[in-house]
Amino acid sequence: MSHALIACLLYGLAAFAEIAGCFSVWAWLRLGRSPLWLLPGGLCLGLFAILLTFSPADHAGRAYALYGGLYIITSLFWGWAVEGLAPDAWDVAGAALCLVGALLILLAPHGRT
């Protein structure tokens, strides 16, 4: 499996965990759900942080920058699957731009001339 594909899968899982964790707070405060939603949400946020440590990036800042690109795409899918808001053309274009930026950070020969 390629370096880029492994990173994308890892960041996709991390994004899902972070979004699920944050959504638990949203559901509690904005949708009137039980505070018990915070328990699995907290576990999801912990899983998110652990998953990012497995990043193939050589520095934490770079790992977080890479993650940001896939987080945006995953957020749009979450909104579509969970909240029923399909991404429009602007959402797709913005997400594609972010993905290109994340791949550039991942695949660039950093520090090599």
Side-chain angles (χ1 to χ4, degrees), residues 11-27 37 40-42 44-49 67-83:
Y11 290 135
L13 288 172
F16 178 78
E18 183 184 14
I19 293 165
C22 291
F23 185 76
S24 72
V25 176
W26 180 279
W37 275 60
C44 286
L45 289 172
L47 177 62
F48 150 71
Y67 167 72
L70 288 189
Y71 177 82
I72 291 168
I73 293 166
T74 307
S75 296
L76 292 174
F77 279 116
W78 178 277
W80 194 1
V82 175
E83 299 180 271

Side-chain angles (χ1 to χ4, degrees), residues 9-60:
L9 290 173
L10 173 71
Y11 290 135
L13 288 172
F16 178 78
E18 183 184 14
I19 293 165
C22 291
F23 185 76
S24 72
V25 176
W26 180 279
W28 170 51
L29 292 176
R30 299 277 303 260
L31 303 178
R33 299 299 199 293
S34 165
L36 293 175
W37 275 60
L38 299 175
L39 296 174
L43 292 173
C44 286
L45 289 172
L47 177 62
F48 150 71
I50 290 168
L51 285 170
L52 281 187
T53 67
F54 293 104
S55 168
D58 51 356
H59 294 89

